[in-house]
Amino acid sequence: MAVLGARQGSGVLLRPELVLTSAHLFENGAPVEVAAPDGDGRVPCDVVWSGDPKTCDVALLLARRPVLSFRHAAPLRWGKCAGWQPMPRCQVLGFPQVQRYGPGELEAVQVPGTLMPLSGRMRGRYVLHTDHHPPAPVPGGSPWAGLSGGPVFAGPLLIGIASGDPMGWQHSSVESMPLTAAVDDPGFRKALLEHWPDPPAFEEVSSAYPEDLAYEPAYAKAVKAAYSRLEIFGLDELSSGDWDLDTAYLSLEAQSPPAARPGPAEPRGRIEDLLGSRPRTVLRGEAGAGKTTLVWWLASHTVCRTLPGQLAELDGMIPFVVPMRSLAARGITSPTPSQLPKIARLPVDRPPDGWAGRVLEAGRGLLLVDGMDEIPQADRELARKWLAGLLRMYPRTRCLVTVRPLAVGSNWLEQEGFEELRLLPLGDEDIQSFVAAWHGAARLECDRYADEHWAKRQRKRLDALEQELGREFRRNDVLRDLARTPLLCAVICALHRARNGFLPETRWELYSAALNLMLATRDIHRRIHQPEGIELTVDEGRQLLQRIAVWLARNGRAELTREQAVRQLASALRGLRRVRAQGTPQSVLMHLLNRSGLLQERSPDAIQFIHRTFQDYLAAKEFQESDCLDELLLHAAEEQWQDILRLVVGHCGRSEERRLIAGLTAAADAAPDRATEWPLRALAAHCALNARYIEDEQYAEVWAGLRRLLPARSERELHALGQDVVAAVH
């Protein structure tokens, strides 16, 4: 904008009424006005602070009314030079003498150039060498007169204020006052904070790659698009089930693991409070505990600079989300920095060469490694070495790793400065908060109804269901214990709505009812008949999904390609004649992706279950139905298979239960050490507790074996027992 004081200059609008410009433009008592190209005429201003033109040539003006509306403006970003290499593609904006086309007629100029960080260092100035031919001299002054106070940008970052035309360069350079020098002045800083209490933090410009700064807004937009939406189980009768993450996000409670020595309990609190003081964290949590939701929430809010105060240090960082399931499916074991932006397959162009490495080198990277348990156990040590090497190369990188509780050892990344947190089960108040949030999101569905009378009835029904379920949770201890993770709490909310209040009583009944809801009633509720020309019964859909789930389990994967999925479905269709007559394996896969609600294609050629819990449940059912319990028992000592073993007992008949528990007991008896024996005893106890029929002799044998090892010697051992076994022990 133009600044009109004792001399004409230029300026930049910090807020609708706050202008930054040069101090040497003003004299005491002279009136001051500013005018913006898109504004409403000249606006009178008061000089609220002015520095010494020789040492701090900046001034703050307060306009007597807003100069422009900031309603749709992107937030102003501040930068500082942190390197010494020349930086091309910088620019200065303003209204210089050289751009006049008539007496008193101002016209804006955009002067591109290369910033030379060392050229004015002794005098505390930046020097911009212009890219074009220098302007012709003018009588009695500089052709750049009027440019003083104009903003100097490196990419999108405001780094300085134009202040002069250095002698000897024949008007080919423009000098500027660094913004950091102005903010370092106590008087300027006090005046600034008085009128702008929350100015932006400085971002470092440390390389000769301003194209990085031009690319980063596009990357941020892609991250926001990819991670600001979340599927909420059961909220898809009228839509895709894709909801704004802030609607779905629930602040979770976490705790540091107990210390090895006796003492006061470790502090617990909301995850946002605990993460803020931990630059590197391993976050452990059960299936469905909300680990991935947290990763997505962090990524989307980091790029938008909208994190809460506890996490303000992360605002504006560049998040790299690394879903480990995708690495395993694509055969990538040690991604390089250049691969990090591509792993999540974001909808954005290729970054400039070397961009990710420069981000990490500058300490601006936030590495979010999601699901370390979703790669084969044999590959986890290689993954640890990759991560450790990357962080040693770029030591200022902040990092969060999510993993299931028993997937890696307690000191897995301790040498790299990681601290551990574990997500706690939802407390009673959290469950009530989740119920309110879920039904609040469900009420948003009603906005899509064309019939407002019907929408009003549905909102009223949801209000009643929310109150009824809240009362049921307060009354029913068993139901509360089933709802200790966000996933299962969402499943209960959905089933309560679909069944008009009738709820299952065990975990297996809960999963079975959820699958029925997705496979049978979903399209009925949406009045869809034979989509894609295919109609599946619940059992047919389950059989097909089981084949995919068991293939993933056997291959240690959480993701597969379309080609791999089609091959598994082709094998399953050999025994499903009615389905085979309706379409090809490819069309059946398309139907399952579009209509089951249980499979999703997060990126081209990468298919996965909506949640690992459903994958494990269906794989367990397939192992039981295909008489492959012995295969499961062969893997009983492997952490990645133990969730399937915990679930398979709910599918078993009487003889199968006896065989499964006997196999686990025999494996525990043959275990070479306590570390191997403990999880096998815990699994056997879990299966014994949940078996529908078990003879007293076998039940006593299971508990005798476990009691020989009690008490638990570590948090890891205690966690392996599970809540049901711990309750039985006590």
Side-chain angles (χ1 to χ4, degrees), residues 1 3 8-12 20-26 53 56-59 91-96 109 111 115 124-128 130 144-153 158-166 173-179 182:
M1 69 175 55
V3 175
Q8 180 263 310
S10 306
V12 59
L20 180 64
T21 185
S22 285
H24 71 259
L25 301 175
F26 309 110
C56 190
D57 189 15
V58 293
Q91 60 179 320
V92 58
L93 310 176
F95 298 85
V109 72
V111 185
L115 194 76
R125 295 291 191 271
Y126 289 151
V127 175
L128 182 83
T130 61
W144 294 124
L147 190 62
S148 294
V152 179
F153 286 97
L158 176 65
I159 62 171
I161 295 296
S163 60
D165 181 353
S173 296
V174 175
E175 240 178 30
S176 61
M177 183 77 191
L179 198 55

XYZ file of all heavy atoms in Angstrom, residues 1 3 8-12 20-26 53 56-59 91-96 109 111 115 124-128 130 144-153 158-166 173-179 182:
434
model
N 0.838 -1.186 0.000
C 0.000 0.000 0.000
C 0.875 1.239 0.000
O 2.055 1.183 0.372
C -0.910 -0.002 1.230
C -0.187 0.201 2.539
S -1.321 0.315 3.893
C -2.197 -1.220 3.670
N 1.974 4.880 1.431
C 1.994 5.621 2.691
C 2.299 7.080 2.352
O 3.285 7.387 1.669
C 3.058 5.046 3.649
C 3.150 5.899 4.906
C 2.731 3.599 4.002
N 6.366 10.475 0.463
C 5.561 9.325 0.017
C 6.411 8.069 0.095
O 7.579 8.052 -0.279
C 5.071 9.544 -1.416
C 4.223 8.390 -1.956
C 5.039 7.421 -2.802
O 5.761 7.863 -3.702
N 4.948 6.130 -2.525
N 5.824 7.021 0.639
C 6.502 5.730 0.724
C 5.526 4.592 0.510
O 4.436 4.780 -0.059
N 5.908 3.440 0.983
C 5.094 2.234 0.837
C 4.983 1.554 2.190
O 5.656 1.932 3.163
C 5.727 1.281 -0.188
O 5.952 1.939 -1.427
N 4.140 0.545 2.280
C 3.968 -0.165 3.542
C 3.296 -1.498 3.318
O 2.928 -1.860 2.195
N 3.138 -2.220 4.406
C 2.474 -3.520 4.348
C 1.475 -3.596 5.499
O 1.757 -3.156 6.621
C 3.496 -4.685 4.419
C 4.328 -4.641 5.693
C 2.790 -6.032 4.296
N 2.877 -1.514 8.749
C 4.320 -1.475 8.980
C 4.970 -0.746 7.807
O 4.707 -1.061 6.642
C 4.865 -2.900 9.086
C 6.372 -3.055 9.330
C 6.751 -2.479 10.689
C 6.777 -4.523 9.237
N 5.842 0.197 8.116
C 6.479 0.971 7.048
C 7.839 1.477 7.553
O 8.356 0.989 8.571
C 5.572 2.137 6.609
O 6.157 2.800 5.503
C 5.305 3.108 7.745
N 8.430 2.455 6.866
C 9.746 3.000 7.234
C 9.596 4.247 8.096
O 8.699 5.083 7.872
C 10.555 3.344 5.985
O 11.042 2.186 5.365
N 10.557 4.405 9.029
C 10.493 5.547 9.954
C 10.897 6.848 9.288
O 10.415 7.928 9.673
C 11.391 5.271 11.159
N 11.781 6.794 8.275
C 12.329 8.057 7.743
C 11.327 8.817 6.873
O 11.638 9.892 6.361
C 13.619 7.786 6.952
C 13.420 7.084 5.642
N 13.641 5.734 5.477
C 13.017 7.550 4.431
C 13.411 5.406 4.216
N 13.022 6.495 3.561
N 10.108 8.269 6.726
C 9.094 8.948 5.923
C 8.381 10.067 6.677
O 7.661 10.868 6.074
C 8.045 7.940 5.439
C 8.539 6.767 4.583
C 7.387 5.812 4.293
C 9.151 7.280 3.291
N 8.562 10.142 8.015
C 7.695 11.008 8.825
C 8.467 12.128 9.504
O 9.652 11.998 9.821
C 6.968 10.161 9.880
C 6.286 8.956 9.298
C 6.763 7.680 9.544
C 5.191 9.103 8.460
C 6.154 6.585 8.997
C 4.577 8.011 7.897
C 5.052 6.741 8.163
N 15.900 6.133 12.144
C 16.151 5.701 10.765
C 17.531 5.108 10.533
O 17.724 4.320 9.618
C 15.963 6.990 9.956
C 15.036 7.831 10.780
C 15.407 7.521 12.204
N 17.057 1.553 13.359
C 15.843 0.715 13.259
C 14.807 1.475 12.438
O 13.873 2.080 12.977
C 15.304 0.387 14.652
S 14.007 -0.861 14.658
N 14.999 1.426 11.134
C 14.196 2.251 10.219
C 12.832 1.609 9.940
O 12.522 1.218 8.822
C 14.966 2.450 8.913
C 14.299 3.474 8.004
O 13.423 4.213 8.493
O 14.648 3.509 6.805
N 12.013 1.492 10.969
C 10.652 0.972 10.817
C 9.710 1.807 11.670
O 10.123 2.452 12.647
C 10.527 -0.516 11.222
C 11.299 -1.406 10.277
C 10.957 -0.736 12.649
N 8.450 1.801 11.288
C 7.418 2.518 12.037
C 6.123 1.718 11.979
O 5.876 0.975 11.020
C 7.202 3.908 11.463
N 11.320 -10.812 -3.731
C 10.712 -9.646 -4.370
C 10.420 -8.566 -3.343
O 10.282 -8.844 -2.143
C 9.419 -10.031 -5.093
C 8.350 -10.625 -4.196
C 7.082 -10.969 -4.940
O 6.656 -10.223 -5.811
N 6.477 -12.097 -4.603
N 10.346 -7.306 -3.846
C 9.929 -6.187 -3.023
C 8.775 -5.502 -3.749
O 8.766 -5.401 -4.983
C 11.100 -5.205 -2.757
C 11.684 -4.665 -4.045
C 10.666 -4.062 -1.858
N 7.780 -5.031 -2.991
C 6.585 -4.406 -3.549
C 6.490 -2.968 -3.047
O 6.866 -2.681 -1.901
C 5.329 -5.172 -3.136
C 5.322 -6.689 -3.347
C 4.036 -7.292 -2.796
C 5.468 -7.015 -4.819
N 5.974 -2.081 -3.887
C 5.787 -0.711 -3.431
C 5.413 0.225 -4.564
O 4.974 -0.200 -5.641
N 5.592 1.540 -4.296
C 5.154 2.592 -5.224
C 6.318 3.553 -5.478
O 6.325 4.687 -4.985
C 3.952 3.337 -4.637
C 2.744 2.467 -4.422
C 2.605 1.710 -3.265
C 1.752 2.386 -5.399
C 1.492 0.907 -3.067
C 0.648 1.583 -5.211
C 0.512 0.836 -4.051
N 7.322 3.162 -6.265
C 8.504 4.012 -6.448
C 8.308 5.085 -7.523
O 7.393 5.016 -8.350
C 9.565 3.001 -6.886
C 8.792 1.968 -7.639
C 7.470 1.859 -6.910
N 4.677 -1.448 -8.115
C 5.736 -2.172 -8.814
C 6.051 -3.451 -8.031
O 5.929 -3.489 -6.800
C 7.009 -1.310 -8.968
C 7.722 -1.142 -7.635
C 7.980 -1.929 -9.977
N 9.211 -5.912 -7.816
C 10.614 -5.990 -8.214
C 11.176 -7.350 -7.809
O 11.444 -7.592 -6.625
C 11.436 -4.864 -7.560
C 12.874 -4.897 -8.079
C 10.801 -3.515 -7.813
N 18.163 -12.223 -3.108
C 18.577 -11.696 -1.811
C 19.989 -12.188 -1.511
O 20.281 -13.385 -1.631
C 17.611 -12.159 -0.714
C 17.751 -11.416 0.614
C 17.123 -10.039 0.508
C 17.086 -12.207 1.735
N 23.608 -4.485 9.246
C 22.321 -5.010 9.677
C 21.229 -4.815 8.655
O 20.094 -4.469 8.994
N 21.573 -4.997 7.383
C 20.597 -4.827 6.313
C 20.593 -6.062 5.402
O 21.568 -6.804 5.322
C 20.924 -3.595 5.448
C 20.825 -2.261 6.162
C 19.389 -1.904 6.501
N 19.236 -0.528 6.945
C 19.341 -0.140 8.202
N 19.623 -1.037 9.144
N 19.164 1.125 8.532
N 19.460 -6.272 4.741
C 19.391 -7.214 3.631
C 19.590 -6.430 2.339
O 19.171 -5.266 2.242
C 18.028 -7.906 3.548
C 17.728 -8.909 4.637
C 16.410 -9.145 5.032
C 18.739 -9.638 5.254
C 16.104 -10.070 6.012
C 18.446 -10.562 6.245
C 17.123 -10.776 6.620
O 16.841 -11.698 7.584
N 20.200 -7.055 1.336
C 20.367 -6.419 0.030
C 19.762 -7.320 -1.030
O 20.102 -8.509 -1.124
C 21.852 -6.150 -0.285
C 21.994 -5.602 -1.703
C 22.450 -5.171 0.721
N 18.852 -6.750 -1.818
C 18.209 -7.473 -2.915
C 18.775 -6.955 -4.236
O 18.622 -5.778 -4.567
C 16.695 -7.250 -2.874
C 15.884 -7.998 -3.935
C 15.600 -9.425 -3.483
C 14.563 -7.284 -4.208
N 18.360 -6.735 -8.005
C 17.205 -6.909 -8.892
C 17.575 -7.755 -10.105
O 18.715 -7.734 -10.579
C 16.679 -5.540 -9.357
O 17.711 -4.864 -10.082
C 16.249 -4.707 -8.167
N 14.145 4.807 -7.102
C 13.397 3.945 -6.160
C 12.699 4.759 -5.064
O 12.040 4.175 -4.197
C 14.324 2.937 -5.484
C 14.935 1.912 -6.405
C 16.253 1.665 -6.580
C 14.250 0.985 -7.246
N 16.457 0.644 -7.481
C 15.217 0.207 -7.913
C 12.908 0.753 -7.534
C 14.901 -0.786 -8.826
C 12.587 -0.250 -8.443
C 13.573 -1.005 -9.074
N 12.826 6.074 -5.079
C 12.155 6.901 -4.068
C 10.660 6.584 -4.062
O 10.014 6.522 -5.105
C 12.379 8.377 -4.372
N 10.104 6.383 -2.873
C 8.706 5.973 -2.747
C 8.553 4.494 -2.455
O 7.493 4.040 -2.022
N 9.654 3.715 -2.672
C 9.612 2.278 -2.372
C 9.877 2.007 -0.892
O 9.558 0.924 -0.388
C 10.648 1.546 -3.231
C 10.608 0.015 -3.251
C 9.290 -0.502 -3.823
C 11.779 -0.545 -4.077
N 10.456 2.985 -0.182
C 10.772 2.805 1.237
C 9.537 2.354 2.020
O 8.449 2.934 1.871
C 11.303 4.107 1.834
O 12.537 4.438 1.266
N 9.730 1.362 2.872
C 8.617 0.809 3.649
C 7.908 -0.337 2.962
O 7.061 -1.002 3.569
N 8.257 -0.588 1.695
C 7.619 -1.684 0.976
C 8.056 -3.040 1.500
O 9.204 -3.215 1.921
N 7.175 -4.033 1.473
C 7.516 -5.350 2.016
C 8.471 -6.118 1.105
O 8.356 -6.070 -0.129
C 6.160 -6.063 2.095
C 5.336 -5.416 1.021
C 5.779 -3.987 0.976
N 9.406 -6.826 1.721
C 10.320 -7.716 1.005
C 9.929 -9.147 1.360
O 9.872 -9.516 2.541
C 11.784 -7.448 1.391
C 12.720 -8.399 0.644
C 12.150 -5.999 1.092
N 9.670 -9.954 0.329
C 9.208 -11.319 0.532
C 10.217 -12.326 -0.014
O 10.795 -12.121 -1.089
C 7.870 -11.551 -0.185
C 6.685 -10.908 0.483
C 6.216 -9.675 0.060
C 6.043 -11.560 1.531
C 5.120 -9.088 0.669
C 4.942 -10.980 2.153
C 4.480 -9.735 1.722
N 7.312 -12.740 4.790
C 7.738 -11.351 4.909
C 9.026 -11.332 5.722
O 9.042 -11.749 6.884
C 6.656 -10.528 5.612
C 6.999 -9.057 5.892
C 7.165 -8.281 4.594
C 5.930 -8.417 6.783
N 10.135 -10.849 5.104
C 11.423 -10.902 5.796
C 12.007 -9.527 6.085
O 12.931 -9.411 6.901
C 12.455 -11.733 5.013
C 12.721 -11.107 3.647
C 11.998 -13.180 4.863
C 13.888 -11.745 2.915
N 11.495 -8.484 5.422
C 12.078 -7.175 5.659
C 11.230 -6.050 5.089
O 10.186 -6.269 4.468
N 11.706 -4.806 5.320
C 11.041 -3.584 4.863
C 12.063 -2.755 4.085
O 13.149 -2.441 4.606
C 10.519 -2.764 6.074
C 9.434 -3.549 6.809
C 9.993 -1.421 5.629
C 8.192 -3.791 5.985
N 11.748 -2.427 2.830
C 12.669 -1.660 1.997
C 13.028 -0.336 2.673
O 12.155 0.354 3.211
C 12.048 -1.401 0.630
N 14.344 0.002 2.624
C 14.771 1.197 3.357
C 15.685 2.118 2.561
O 15.869 3.275 2.950
C 15.481 0.788 4.654
O 16.620 -0.011 4.358
N 16.303 1.650 1.474
C 17.203 2.553 0.770
C 17.744 1.982 -0.518
O 17.501 0.826 -0.882
N 18.496 2.835 -1.204
C 19.123 2.519 -2.484
C 20.629 2.617 -2.256
O 21.187 3.723 -2.215
C 18.640 3.529 -3.530
C 19.215 3.280 -4.911
O 20.094 2.411 -5.044
O 18.790 3.977 -5.848
N 21.339 1.502 -2.044
C 22.762 1.568 -1.674
C 23.610 2.219 -2.765
O 23.397 1.994 -3.959
C 23.150 0.102 -1.468
C 22.137 -0.685 -2.225
C 20.875 0.115 -2.184
N 20.251 -2.372 -6.908
C 19.985 -3.075 -5.653
C 19.033 -2.258 -4.787
O 18.935 -1.028 -4.930
C 21.291 -3.316 -4.880
O 22.144 -4.160 -5.606
N 18.348 -2.965 -3.887
C 17.458 -2.324 -2.911
C 17.829 -2.859 -1.535
O 17.944 -4.080 -1.338
C 15.977 -2.622 -3.217
C 15.079 -2.048 -2.121
C 15.583 -2.062 -4.572
N 18.025 -1.938 -0.596
C 18.348 -2.318 0.778
C 17.067 -2.443 1.590
O 16.079 -1.744 1.313
C 19.233 -1.241 1.408
C 20.566 -1.750 1.850
C 21.424 -0.625 2.423
O 20.866 0.343 2.982
O 22.638 -0.739 2.300
N 17.086 -3.326 2.609
C 15.895 -3.459 3.461
C 16.298 -3.710 4.902
O 17.390 -4.216 5.193
C 14.991 -4.594 2.965
O 15.669 -5.826 2.999
N 15.381 -3.343 5.781
C 15.553 -3.562 7.219
C 14.993 -4.934 7.552
O 13.814 -5.210 7.309
C 14.781 -2.480 7.985
C 14.926 -2.547 9.485
S 16.510 -1.877 9.994
C 16.545 -2.394 11.711
N 15.820 -5.855 8.105
C 15.293 -7.185 8.454
C 14.181 -7.080 9.495
O 14.272 -6.304 10.455
C 16.509 -7.924 9.020
C 17.692 -7.201 8.469
C 17.266 -5.758 8.358
N 13.144 -7.854 9.326
C 12.030 -7.853 10.266
C 12.480 -8.312 11.647
O 11.989 -7.824 12.671
C 10.916 -8.769 9.730
C 9.521 -8.591 10.307
C 9.036 -7.165 10.170
C 8.555 -9.548 9.620
N 13.849 -5.430 13.677
C 12.795 -4.577 14.219
C 12.184 -5.197 15.474
O 12.003 -4.525 16.502
C 11.721 -4.344 13.167
